[in-house]
Amino acid sequence: MAAGAEALHFQVGDGDPQDRLDKLVVHLLERAGRATSRAAVQRWIAAGRVLVDGAPARASAAVRPGALVEVRPEEPPPSATAAEPDVAIPVVYEDEHLLVIDKPAGLVVHPARGHESGTLVNGLLALPGFALAPADPRDPMGHVRPGIVHRLDRGTSGLLVVAKDEPTREALKERFARHAIEREYAAIVAGAARDATYDTLHGRHPTDRLRFTSWIRGGAGASGAAPRRAVTHVRVLERLGDAATVVACSLETGRTHQIRVHLAERGRTPVLGDPLYGKPPKKPALRAIAEELGRQALHARVLGFVHPATQRPVRWESALPEDMRKALDQLRGLATRSSI
């Protein structure tokens, strides 16, 4: 076995997962307070850093009760993604385990084609504790996503949590997976919205790779991935005549573009200014407000969960940003004059 980190030793019990070695090691490490992603464990197994009864084994191998498992963790190679201290990160909370930011609209969360720099990740790498963050094993381009467990679209503003260590990251990912995170968004939509719950399938659009859709059947979609369930609860907060509505959207699931898709396709009230799922409003006054806003009027205003380290509930609220407040004031004025 390669030299490096101190080896950890476990004996497999009757109640431990036994169908796959990678699943077993993830379980054993989590129980030992060393939570690690399955992708990292698979990398260690491929490198011969996991032994079963003194011998290497495949990630898919079954493991018998009583077997002795030796794990020697390995730090992944650092990413080549550059640290950029000039990226402004509005932090609303920070402790030794995580931080919560209030992302401004326009800030891309992680590098991708067309956005190789100036992202939230580039800014995080310039902060203490993020400098040695590893490359994301899921990213073929070798980008790093230090502590990123969820994201907001470039044009969406609001609250986002970032983990500072692997146990916190894995614990937060688990909370997201079982829908134990409170998330509520505020949106200004075009049209007269109503209170509703949208419970649909959600997947890639069959002909447009940039879009997602709820009008999709089970089975593999255009991307080869099966559609997944998406649930959004919509509550009317304020009616602005018949032309616009302010709504609160609470998420049970967190699919890409989920709120935008549900409001546009199921509610027929697209988010005002949404360049992908909406259309320019026909009424000139409403269209002018949407054009001045320049992005979808969507803001992640509430974020809450049980803190992985303290096991205490934590919760934050974020006020509407200035551009959405300005649009809302303009819409209220137009509604009062019945001009839209």
Side-chain angles (χ1 to χ4, degrees):
M1 178 173 288
E6 176 185 357
L8 305 172
H9 298 88
F10 307 93
Q11 184 169 24
V12 181
D14 290 334
D16 295 327
Q18 297 164 21
D19 57 329
R20 288 185 61 98
L21 176 59
D22 53 358
K23 187 193 303 184
L24 169 67
V25 173
V26 169
H27 169 78
L28 295 173
L29 290 171
E30 183 176 1
R31 190 173 64 192
R34 299 283 296 269
T36 304
S37 69
R38 191 165 175 176
V41 167
Q42 290 171 342
R43 190 169 60 244
W44 302 345
I45 293 172
R49 304 186 70 89
V50 178
L51 304 182
V52 179
D53 290 332
R58 299 187 307 275
S60 60
V63 185
R64 64 174 180 81
L68 298 177
V69 177
E70 180 180 343
V71 181
R72 191 177 295 275
E74 178 185 39
E75 288 296 325
S79 167
T81 304
E84 298 181 28
D86 292 339
V87 176
I89 300 178
V91 177
V92 298
Y93 174 82
E94 182 174 9
D95 61 28
E96 61 182 312
H97 302 286
L98 56 84
L99 57 83
V100 175
I101 71 165
D102 200 343
K103 187 187 88 66
L107 178 62
V108 175
V109 172
H110 51 72
R113 284 187 176 87
H115 299 288
E116 296 291 338
S117 62
T119 70
L120 171 62
V121 164
N122 294 107
L124 288 173
L125 289 174
L127 300 180
F130 290 105
L132 297 178
D136 187 337
R138 300 167 300 178
D139 191 332
M141 299 179 68
H143 288 133
V144 65
R145 301 182 186 185
I148 302 296
V149 293
H150 67 128
R151 70 180 184 89
L152 299 176
D153 297 328
R154 179 184 182 182
T156 301
S157 55
L159 296 169
L160 186 77
V161 61
V162 181
K164 285 186 166 185
D165 53 66
E166 191 164 15
T168 301
R169 186 183 74 229
E170 293 305 307
L172 287 171
K173 285 169 59 178
E174 185 273 336
R175 283 162 171 73
F176 275 100
R178 61 183 173 89
H179 316 313
I181 303 282
E182 180 188 5
R183 285 177 291 169
E184 184 178 272
Y185 292 66
I188 304 173
V189 302
R194 59 185 177 85
D195 292 350
T197 291
Y198 301 116
D199 187 340
T200 71
L201 291 177
H202 185 90
R204 285 277 182 190
H205 193 281
T207 60
D208 188 340
R209 293 286 300 165
L210 296 179
R211 293 163 61 99
F212 289 78
T213 181
S214 65
W215 300 114
I216 192 168
R217 296 180 180 179
S223 65
R228 303 172 72 183
R229 184 177 180 231
V231 183
T232 306
H233 303 285
V234 179
R235 185 175 81 257
V236 172
L237 298 178
E238 182 179 357
R239 296 196 180 278
L240 303 163
D242 293 330
T245 313
V246 183
V247 297
C249 299
S250 299
L251 294 180
E252 281 192 30
T253 58
R255 312 304 177 205
T256 303
H257 299 176
Q258 175 178 319
I259 291 174
R260 297 164 65 187
V261 168
H262 275 162
L263 288 173
E265 292 187 347
R266 301 295 174 151
R268 299 187 179 182
T269 53
V271 178
L272 186 68
D274 191 331
L276 193 58
Y277 297 99
K279 296 180 180 179
K282 294 181 179 180
K283 295 181 180 295
L286 190 60
R287 184 168 63 250
I289 293 172
E291 290 174 352
E292 182 179 357
L293 181 62
R295 55 107 168 182
Q296 62 260 21
L298 186 61
H299 179 70
R301 69 175 190 170
V302 176
L303 177 66
F305 50 86
V306 174
H307 194 294
T310 67
Q311 297 303 310
R312 294 179 179 175
V314 288
R315 188 177 187 272
W316 297 270
E317 294 188 19
S318 170
L320 288 181
E322 182 178 355
D323 61 347
M324 283 185 65
R325 291 200 305 269
K326 181 177 180 181
L328 186 54
D329 288 342
Q330 292 172 328
L331 288 166
R332 285 168 176 159
L334 289 172
T336 299
R337 298 193 299 271
S338 299
S339 299
I340 57 176

